Amino acid sequence: MKHILHLKCLICGKEYQPDEVTYVCPAHGNEGILDVVYDYGRIAPHISPTSLAANRETSIWRYKPLLPVAPDAPTPPLAVGWTPLYKTDRLASDLGLQHVWVKDDGRNPTASFKDRASAMALVKARGAVSSQQLAVSSEQSPNLPITTASTGNAAAALAGLCASVGQPNVIFVPKSAPEAKVAQLLAFGATVLLVEGTYDDAFELCLQAAAEFGWYNRNTGYNPYMTEGKKTVSYEIAEQLGWQAPDVVFVSVGDGCIIGGVHKGFKDLLALGWIEQMPRLIGVQAAGSNYLAEAWAKGEDVLTKPPIKAETVADSISAGLPRDRIKAMTAVTQTNGAFITVMDEEILAAIPALARGCGVFAEPAGAAAYAGLVKAAREGLVQPADRIVVINTGSGLKDVAAAMKAVQGVGVRPYAIQPTLAAVETVLKPGG
Ligand SMILES: *Cc1c(COP(=O)(O)O)cnc(C)c1O
Ligand SMILES: [Zn+2]
Protein backbone atom coordinates (compact mmCIF):
# COMPACT_ATOMS: atom_id res chain seq x y z
CA MET A 1 0.00 0.00 0.00
CA LYS A 2 2.12 2.80 -1.32
CA HIS A 3 -0.23 5.54 -0.15
CA ILE A 4 0.72 4.81 3.48
CA LEU A 5 4.07 6.29 4.54
CA HIS A 6 4.20 4.61 7.93
CA LEU A 7 2.48 3.97 11.26
CA LYS A 8 3.67 6.37 13.93
CA CYS A 9 3.67 5.72 17.69
CA LEU A 10 1.86 8.53 19.47
CA ILE A 11 4.11 8.14 22.51
CA CYS A 12 7.66 7.83 21.16
CA GLY A 13 7.19 8.93 17.56
CA LYS A 14 8.84 5.78 16.20
CA GLU A 15 7.72 4.90 12.68
CA TYR A 16 6.87 1.42 11.41
CA GLN A 17 5.97 -0.02 8.05
CA PRO A 18 2.42 -1.45 7.99
CA ASP A 19 3.76 -5.00 7.59
CA GLU A 20 6.15 -4.59 10.55
CA VAL A 21 3.50 -4.22 13.26
CA THR A 22 -0.11 -5.34 13.50
CA TYR A 23 -1.48 -3.25 16.36
CA VAL A 24 0.59 -1.21 18.84
CA CYS A 25 4.15 0.11 19.18
CA PRO A 26 6.21 -2.82 20.49
CA ALA A 27 8.18 -0.42 22.70
CA HIS A 28 5.03 0.77 24.45
CA GLY A 29 2.81 -2.26 24.73
CA ASN A 30 -0.93 -1.80 24.91
CA GLU A 31 -0.63 1.97 25.35
CA GLY A 32 1.47 2.47 22.22
CA ILE A 33 -1.30 3.59 19.90
CA LEU A 34 -0.25 4.11 16.29
CA ASP A 35 -1.41 6.71 13.80
CA VAL A 36 -1.59 5.86 10.11
CA VAL A 37 0.38 8.49 8.15
CA TYR A 38 -0.46 8.93 4.47
CA ASP A 39 1.35 10.21 1.42
CA TYR A 40 -1.29 12.67 0.22
CA GLY A 41 0.62 13.33 -2.99
CA ARG A 42 0.02 9.72 -4.00
CA ILE A 43 -3.64 9.84 -3.00
CA ALA A 44 -4.63 13.08 -4.71
CA PRO A 45 -4.60 11.76 -8.31
CA HIS A 46 -7.13 9.06 -7.35
CA ILE A 47 -9.84 11.08 -5.62
CA SER A 48 -11.14 14.65 -5.55
CA PRO A 49 -14.35 16.55 -4.81
CA THR A 50 -15.06 16.39 -8.55
CA SER A 51 -14.56 12.64 -8.84
CA LEU A 52 -16.69 12.14 -5.73
CA ALA A 53 -19.53 14.18 -7.23
CA ALA A 54 -19.77 11.55 -9.96
CA ASN A 55 -19.26 8.56 -7.62
CA ARG A 56 -22.46 6.52 -7.12
CA GLU A 57 -21.06 4.45 -4.23
CA THR A 58 -23.09 5.41 -1.14
CA SER A 59 -21.01 3.92 1.65
CA ILE A 60 -17.69 4.63 3.37
CA TRP A 61 -15.99 2.87 0.46
CA ARG A 62 -16.59 5.89 -1.78
CA TYR A 63 -13.46 7.22 -0.03
CA LYS A 64 -11.41 4.06 -0.61
CA PRO A 65 -8.26 5.85 -1.87
CA LEU A 66 -8.12 7.65 1.51
CA LEU A 67 -8.43 4.44 3.53
CA PRO A 68 -5.76 1.91 4.55
CA VAL A 69 -6.97 -0.77 2.15
CA ALA A 70 -5.76 -1.95 -1.25
CA PRO A 71 -7.73 -0.63 -4.25
CA ASP A 72 -8.91 -4.18 -5.04
CA ALA A 73 -9.62 -5.25 -1.43
CA PRO A 74 -13.05 -6.90 -1.23
CA THR A 75 -15.45 -4.93 0.97
CA PRO A 76 -18.44 -6.32 2.88
CA PRO A 77 -21.92 -6.02 1.35
CA LEU A 78 -23.61 -4.14 4.23
CA ALA A 79 -24.02 -0.45 3.42
CA VAL A 80 -22.01 1.37 6.09
CA GLY A 81 -21.88 5.15 6.26
CA TRP A 82 -23.19 7.90 3.96
CA THR A 83 -25.73 8.61 6.68
CA PRO A 84 -28.01 11.64 6.42
CA LEU A 85 -27.06 15.10 7.67
CA TYR A 86 -30.24 16.96 8.65
CA LYS A 87 -30.52 20.74 8.97
CA THR A 88 -32.65 21.30 12.07
CA ASP A 89 -33.90 24.88 12.19
CA ARG A 90 -36.41 24.26 14.97
CA LEU A 91 -33.82 22.85 17.35
CA ALA A 92 -31.42 25.61 16.40
CA SER A 93 -33.82 28.43 17.12
CA ASP A 94 -34.85 26.82 20.43
CA LEU A 95 -31.20 27.17 21.43
CA GLY A 96 -30.75 30.67 20.02
CA LEU A 97 -28.60 29.35 17.19
CA GLN A 98 -28.82 29.71 13.42
CA HIS A 99 -27.16 26.66 11.86
CA VAL A 100 -27.45 23.24 13.45
CA TRP A 101 -27.20 19.92 11.64
CA VAL A 102 -27.64 16.42 13.05
CA LYS A 103 -25.60 13.64 11.48
CA ASP A 104 -27.67 10.53 12.10
CA ASP A 105 -25.32 7.60 12.44
CA GLY A 106 -28.07 5.56 14.04
CA ARG A 107 -28.94 4.90 10.38
CA ASN A 108 -26.04 2.48 9.94
CA PRO A 109 -26.79 -1.23 9.32
CA THR A 110 -26.45 -2.29 12.96
CA ALA A 111 -27.74 1.10 14.15
CA SER A 112 -24.59 2.74 15.45
CA PHE A 113 -21.51 4.66 14.39
CA LYS A 114 -19.40 1.59 15.22
CA ASP A 115 -20.20 0.03 11.85
CA ARG A 116 -17.65 2.39 10.31
CA ALA A 117 -14.83 0.84 12.34
CA SER A 118 -16.06 -2.74 12.27
CA ALA A 119 -16.30 -2.70 8.49
CA MET A 120 -12.66 -1.63 8.40
CA ALA A 121 -11.72 -4.36 10.91
CA LEU A 122 -13.31 -7.00 8.73
CA VAL A 123 -11.45 -5.89 5.61
CA LYS A 124 -8.14 -5.67 7.48
CA ALA A 125 -8.65 -9.03 9.21
CA ARG A 126 -9.35 -10.82 5.97
CA GLY A 127 -6.25 -9.22 4.44
CA ALA A 128 -4.18 -10.26 7.47
CA VAL A 129 -5.45 -13.83 7.35
CA SER A 130 -4.69 -14.26 3.68
CA SER A 131 -1.13 -12.93 3.97
CA GLN A 132 -0.61 -15.12 7.05
CA GLN A 133 -1.82 -18.09 5.07
CA LEU A 134 0.64 -17.41 2.30
CA ALA A 135 3.47 -17.22 4.82
CA VAL A 136 2.52 -19.89 7.31
CA SER A 137 0.84 -22.43 5.02
CA SER A 138 -2.11 -24.61 5.75
CA GLU A 139 -1.78 -24.91 9.52
CA GLN A 140 -3.52 -21.57 9.93
CA SER A 141 -7.25 -21.87 9.89
CA PRO A 142 -8.53 -19.84 6.93
CA ASN A 143 -11.24 -18.41 9.13
CA LEU A 144 -9.62 -17.37 12.39
CA PRO A 145 -12.15 -15.43 14.44
CA ILE A 146 -12.13 -11.68 14.79
CA THR A 147 -12.60 -10.54 18.37
CA THR A 148 -13.50 -7.39 20.25
CA ALA A 149 -14.49 -6.17 23.67
CA SER A 150 -17.30 -3.67 23.64
CA THR A 151 -19.93 -1.93 25.70
CA GLY A 152 -22.27 -3.36 23.05
CA ASN A 153 -22.29 -1.35 19.84
CA ALA A 154 -18.80 -2.18 18.57
CA ALA A 155 -19.70 -5.79 19.19
CA ALA A 156 -23.04 -5.63 17.40
CA ALA A 157 -21.31 -3.88 14.52
CA LEU A 158 -18.57 -6.48 14.29
CA ALA A 159 -21.04 -9.35 14.59
CA GLY A 160 -23.28 -7.89 11.88
CA LEU A 161 -20.46 -7.15 9.46
CA CYS A 162 -19.03 -10.62 10.06
CA ALA A 163 -22.43 -12.21 9.48
CA SER A 164 -22.63 -10.48 6.10
CA VAL A 165 -19.67 -12.55 4.90
CA GLY A 166 -19.86 -15.64 7.17
CA GLN A 167 -16.85 -14.66 9.28
CA PRO A 168 -16.59 -16.20 12.79
CA ASN A 169 -16.24 -13.76 15.67
CA VAL A 170 -15.92 -13.81 19.45
CA ILE A 171 -17.39 -10.98 21.49
CA PHE A 172 -16.61 -9.86 25.04
CA VAL A 173 -19.29 -7.62 26.58
CA PRO A 174 -20.00 -6.67 30.18
CA LYS A 175 -22.94 -8.58 31.61
CA SER A 176 -24.74 -5.24 32.07
CA ALA A 177 -24.93 -4.53 28.29
CA PRO A 178 -28.45 -3.46 27.18
CA GLU A 179 -30.62 -6.33 26.04
CA ALA A 180 -31.11 -5.07 22.49
CA LYS A 181 -27.38 -5.10 21.89
CA VAL A 182 -26.99 -8.63 23.24
CA ALA A 183 -29.97 -9.72 21.13
CA GLN A 184 -28.25 -8.35 18.03
CA LEU A 185 -25.09 -10.31 18.84
CA LEU A 186 -26.98 -13.56 19.27
CA ALA A 187 -29.07 -13.04 16.18
CA PHE A 188 -25.96 -12.39 14.09
CA GLY A 189 -24.47 -15.66 15.32
CA ALA A 190 -21.50 -14.30 17.28
CA THR A 191 -19.91 -16.30 20.06
CA VAL A 192 -20.97 -14.08 22.96
CA LEU A 193 -19.06 -13.97 26.23
CA LEU A 194 -20.92 -12.00 28.90
CA VAL A 195 -18.16 -10.93 31.24
CA GLU A 196 -18.88 -10.67 34.95
CA GLY A 197 -17.38 -7.19 35.29
CA THR A 198 -17.05 -3.81 33.57
CA TYR A 199 -16.17 -2.90 29.99
CA ASP A 200 -12.62 -2.35 31.21
CA ASP A 201 -12.51 -5.93 32.54
CA ALA A 202 -13.90 -7.27 29.26
CA PHE A 203 -11.27 -5.27 27.35
CA GLU A 204 -8.32 -6.70 29.30
CA LEU A 205 -9.65 -10.24 28.96
CA CYS A 206 -10.20 -9.82 25.23
CA LEU A 207 -6.63 -8.58 24.70
CA GLN A 208 -5.32 -11.66 26.53
CA ALA A 209 -7.53 -14.06 24.62
CA ALA A 210 -6.67 -12.57 21.23
CA ALA A 211 -2.94 -12.91 21.96
CA GLU A 212 -3.36 -16.43 23.33
CA PHE A 213 -5.49 -17.79 20.49
CA GLY A 214 -4.15 -15.72 17.60
CA TRP A 215 -7.46 -14.04 16.77
CA TYR A 216 -7.65 -10.81 14.82
CA ASN A 217 -8.13 -8.01 17.33
CA ARG A 218 -10.56 -5.19 16.59
CA ASN A 219 -10.26 -3.48 19.94
CA THR A 220 -10.78 0.26 20.12
CA GLY A 221 -7.69 2.28 20.95
CA TYR A 222 -5.51 -0.72 20.14
CA ASN A 223 -6.11 -1.56 16.49
CA PRO A 224 -4.77 1.51 14.62
CA TYR A 225 -7.22 1.12 11.74
CA MET A 226 -10.39 1.75 13.73
CA THR A 227 -9.69 5.50 13.62
CA GLU A 228 -9.40 5.19 9.84
CA GLY A 229 -12.88 3.71 9.57
CA LYS A 230 -14.34 6.31 11.90
CA LYS A 231 -12.76 9.28 10.11
CA THR A 232 -15.11 8.73 7.17
CA VAL A 233 -17.82 10.61 9.09
CA SER A 234 -15.87 13.83 8.64
CA TYR A 235 -15.48 13.26 4.90
CA GLU A 236 -19.24 12.83 4.69
CA ILE A 237 -20.01 15.91 6.77
CA ALA A 238 -17.69 18.03 4.65
CA GLU A 239 -19.04 16.63 1.39
CA GLN A 240 -22.66 17.01 2.51
CA LEU A 241 -21.93 20.65 3.39
CA GLY A 242 -20.44 21.30 -0.05
CA TRP A 243 -16.83 21.09 1.22
CA GLN A 244 -17.38 23.88 3.71
CA ALA A 245 -16.28 22.48 7.03
CA PRO A 246 -18.52 23.32 10.00
CA ASP A 247 -17.26 25.62 12.76
CA VAL A 248 -18.01 23.22 15.61
CA VAL A 249 -18.70 19.49 15.94
CA PHE A 250 -20.26 17.89 19.03
CA VAL A 251 -19.53 14.23 19.64
CA SER A 252 -19.92 12.06 22.70
CA VAL A 253 -16.78 10.48 24.11
CA GLY A 254 -16.12 7.19 25.89
CA ASP A 255 -12.86 5.63 24.74
CA GLY A 256 -12.19 8.63 22.52
CA CYS A 257 -11.84 6.73 19.25
CA ILE A 258 -14.71 8.51 17.52
CA ILE A 259 -13.52 12.02 18.32
CA GLY A 260 -10.00 11.01 17.29
CA GLY A 261 -11.43 9.72 14.02
CA VAL A 262 -13.43 12.89 13.45
CA HIS A 263 -10.21 14.87 13.92
CA LYS A 264 -8.26 12.59 11.58
CA GLY A 265 -10.86 12.94 8.84
CA PHE A 266 -10.78 16.73 8.88
CA LYS A 267 -6.96 16.68 9.07
CA ASP A 268 -6.87 14.57 5.90
CA LEU A 269 -9.19 17.02 4.13
CA LEU A 270 -7.10 20.01 5.21
CA ALA A 271 -3.93 18.28 3.99
CA LEU A 272 -5.59 17.64 0.63
CA GLY A 273 -6.75 21.26 0.46
CA TRP A 274 -10.42 20.27 0.14
CA ILE A 275 -11.51 22.32 3.18
CA GLU A 276 -10.12 25.55 4.56
CA GLN A 277 -10.59 25.27 8.30
CA MET A 278 -10.48 22.75 11.10
CA PRO A 279 -13.71 22.73 13.14
CA ARG A 280 -13.53 23.03 16.90
CA LEU A 281 -14.20 19.59 18.30
CA ILE A 282 -16.29 19.41 21.46
CA GLY A 283 -16.08 16.09 23.30
CA VAL A 284 -19.12 15.43 25.47
CA GLN A 285 -18.69 13.05 28.39
CA ALA A 286 -21.14 11.82 31.00
CA ALA A 287 -20.47 13.38 34.39
CA GLY A 288 -20.15 9.85 35.78
CA SER A 289 -17.55 8.87 33.17
CA ASN A 290 -15.49 12.01 32.86
CA TYR A 291 -11.89 10.81 32.65
CA LEU A 292 -10.97 12.95 29.66
CA ALA A 293 -13.00 16.00 30.69
CA GLU A 294 -11.28 15.97 34.06
CA ALA A 295 -7.81 15.44 32.60
CA TRP A 296 -8.40 18.29 30.15
CA ALA A 297 -9.75 20.69 32.78
CA LYS A 298 -6.92 19.97 35.20
CA GLY A 299 -4.16 19.67 32.62
CA GLU A 300 -3.40 16.08 33.70
CA ASP A 301 -1.23 13.71 31.69
CA VAL A 302 -3.40 10.92 30.27
CA LEU A 303 -0.43 8.57 30.20
CA THR A 304 -0.16 8.63 33.97
CA LYS A 305 -3.69 9.50 35.14
CA PRO A 306 -5.14 6.36 36.77
CA PRO A 307 -8.49 4.86 35.72
CA ILE A 308 -11.65 6.24 37.31
CA LYS A 309 -14.79 4.37 38.30
CA ALA A 310 -17.24 4.96 35.47
CA GLU A 311 -20.99 4.88 35.87
CA THR A 312 -23.61 6.41 33.59
CA VAL A 313 -26.93 5.66 31.95
CA ALA A 314 -25.13 6.20 28.65
CA ASP A 315 -23.53 2.74 28.58
CA SER A 316 -21.76 3.35 25.26
CA ILE A 317 -19.64 6.12 26.76
CA SER A 318 -18.93 4.42 30.08
CA ALA A 319 -15.14 3.98 30.15
CA GLY A 320 -13.00 4.07 33.28
CA LEU A 321 -9.82 4.23 31.23
CA PRO A 322 -10.51 5.66 27.76
CA ARG A 323 -8.45 3.48 25.44
CA ASP A 324 -7.94 6.12 22.77
CA ARG A 325 -7.23 8.91 25.22
CA ILE A 326 -4.13 10.21 23.45
CA LYS A 327 -5.97 10.77 20.16
CA ALA A 328 -9.02 12.16 21.98
CA MET A 329 -7.02 14.69 23.97
CA THR A 330 -5.14 15.76 20.85
CA ALA A 331 -8.41 16.18 18.94
CA VAL A 332 -9.67 18.68 21.49
CA THR A 333 -6.47 20.57 22.22
CA GLN A 334 -5.32 20.89 18.59
CA THR A 335 -8.68 22.20 17.40
CA ASN A 336 -9.17 24.74 20.18
CA GLY A 337 -12.12 22.63 21.27
CA ALA A 338 -13.28 21.57 24.72
CA PHE A 339 -14.49 18.68 26.79
CA ILE A 340 -17.77 19.21 28.58
CA THR A 341 -19.75 16.97 30.87
CA VAL A 342 -23.48 16.38 31.14
CA MET A 343 -25.44 14.76 33.95
CA ASP A 344 -27.41 11.57 33.35
CA GLU A 345 -30.65 13.57 33.77
CA GLU A 346 -29.52 15.95 31.02
CA ILE A 347 -28.67 13.00 28.77
CA LEU A 348 -32.05 11.40 29.31
CA ALA A 349 -33.87 14.72 28.77
CA ALA A 350 -31.97 15.12 25.50
CA ILE A 351 -33.53 11.94 24.07
CA PRO A 352 -37.11 13.31 23.72
CA ALA A 353 -35.80 16.84 23.05
CA LEU A 354 -33.80 15.67 20.05
CA ALA A 355 -36.54 13.31 18.90
CA ARG A 356 -39.23 16.02 19.04
CA GLY A 357 -36.96 18.72 17.69
CA CYS A 358 -35.89 16.94 14.52
CA GLY A 359 -37.22 13.38 14.41
CA VAL A 360 -33.96 11.65 15.28
CA PHE A 361 -34.30 8.98 17.97
CA ALA A 362 -31.01 8.49 19.82
CA GLU A 363 -29.71 6.12 22.44
CA PRO A 364 -28.37 7.85 25.58
CA ALA A 365 -24.79 8.13 24.30
CA GLY A 366 -26.03 9.66 21.05
CA ALA A 367 -28.32 12.11 22.83
CA ALA A 368 -25.40 13.07 25.08
CA ALA A 369 -23.83 14.98 22.19
CA TYR A 370 -27.02 17.04 21.87
CA ALA A 371 -27.15 17.53 25.65
CA GLY A 372 -23.64 18.91 25.27
CA LEU A 373 -24.82 21.42 22.68
CA VAL A 374 -27.68 22.52 24.93
CA LYS A 375 -25.21 23.17 27.73
CA ALA A 376 -22.70 24.86 25.43
CA ALA A 377 -25.36 27.18 24.03
CA ARG A 378 -26.49 28.06 27.55
CA GLU A 379 -22.93 28.80 28.66
CA GLY A 380 -21.92 30.77 25.57
CA LEU A 381 -19.42 28.19 24.35
CA VAL A 382 -20.90 28.50 20.87
CA GLN A 383 -21.93 31.64 19.01
CA PRO A 384 -25.35 32.13 17.36
CA ALA A 385 -23.86 32.22 13.85
CA ASP A 386 -21.64 29.15 14.30
CA ARG A 387 -22.26 26.31 11.86
CA ILE A 388 -22.66 23.37 14.21
CA VAL A 389 -22.87 19.63 13.60
CA VAL A 390 -24.09 17.22 16.29
CA ILE A 391 -23.33 13.56 15.66
CA ASN A 392 -25.94 11.07 16.82
CA THR A 393 -23.87 7.95 17.28
CA GLY A 394 -26.56 5.37 18.00
CA SER A 395 -30.25 4.60 17.48
CA GLY A 396 -32.76 4.94 20.30
CA LEU A 397 -33.90 1.39 19.63
CA LYS A 398 -30.61 0.21 21.11
CA ASP A 399 -31.81 0.96 24.62
CA VAL A 400 -35.58 1.06 24.94
CA ALA A 401 -35.45 0.92 28.74
CA ALA A 402 -33.51 4.19 28.83
CA ALA A 403 -35.90 5.77 26.31
CA MET A 404 -38.91 4.84 28.46
CA LYS A 405 -37.21 6.32 31.50
CA ALA A 406 -36.47 9.45 29.48
CA VAL A 407 -40.07 10.04 28.41
CA GLN A 408 -41.35 9.35 31.91
CA GLY A 409 -38.84 11.94 33.08
CA VAL A 410 -40.53 14.64 30.99
CA GLY A 411 -43.96 13.57 32.24
CA VAL A 412 -45.45 12.07 29.11
CA ARG A 413 -47.38 8.84 29.14
CA PRO A 414 -49.68 6.96 26.85
CA TYR A 415 -53.44 7.01 27.56
CA ALA A 416 -55.00 3.62 28.19
CA ILE A 417 -58.53 3.73 26.76
CA GLN A 418 -61.54 1.59 25.92
CA PRO A 419 -61.96 0.98 22.16
CA THR A 420 -64.67 3.68 21.83
CA LEU A 421 -64.84 7.12 20.19
CA ALA A 422 -66.16 8.51 23.46
CA ALA A 423 -62.96 7.45 25.18
CA VAL A 424 -60.88 9.21 22.49
CA GLU A 425 -62.95 12.39 22.95
CA THR A 426 -62.49 12.30 26.69
CA VAL A 427 -58.74 12.09 26.34
CA LEU A 428 -58.53 14.87 23.74
CA LYS A 429 -60.78 17.26 25.68
CA PRO A 430 -58.80 20.19 27.06
CA GLY A 431 -57.67 19.13 30.51
CA GLY A 432 -58.67 15.55 29.67
C1 LIG B 1 -18.83 3.88 21.13
C2 LIG B 1 -19.87 4.91 21.19
C3 LIG B 1 -19.59 6.23 21.56
C4 LIG B 1 -18.24 6.70 21.99
O1 LIG B 1 -17.17 6.40 21.13
P1 LIG B 1 -15.71 6.30 21.71
O2 LIG B 1 -14.86 6.03 20.57
O3 LIG B 1 -15.73 5.17 22.71
O4 LIG B 1 -15.42 7.60 22.38
C5 LIG B 1 -20.63 7.13 21.57
N1 LIG B 1 -21.88 6.78 21.24
C6 LIG B 1 -22.19 5.52 20.88
C7 LIG B 1 -23.61 5.20 20.57
C8 LIG B 1 -21.21 4.54 20.84
O5 LIG B 1 -21.54 3.30 20.51
ZN1 LIG C 1 6.36 3.87 20.99
Side-chain angles (χ1 to χ4, degrees), residues 21 39 52 63 65 68 72 104-105 119 129 139 173 178 183 225 314 331 382 385:
V21 289
D39 182 342
L52 283 165
Y63 305 108
D72 58 350
D104 187 11
D105 253 52
V129 169
E139 270 172 58
V173 283
Y225 301 110
V382 289

Side-chain angles (χ1 to χ4, degrees), residues 375-383:
K375 184 170 177 181
R378 198 169 62 222
E379 296 185 352
L381 248 164
V382 289
Q383 300 310 309

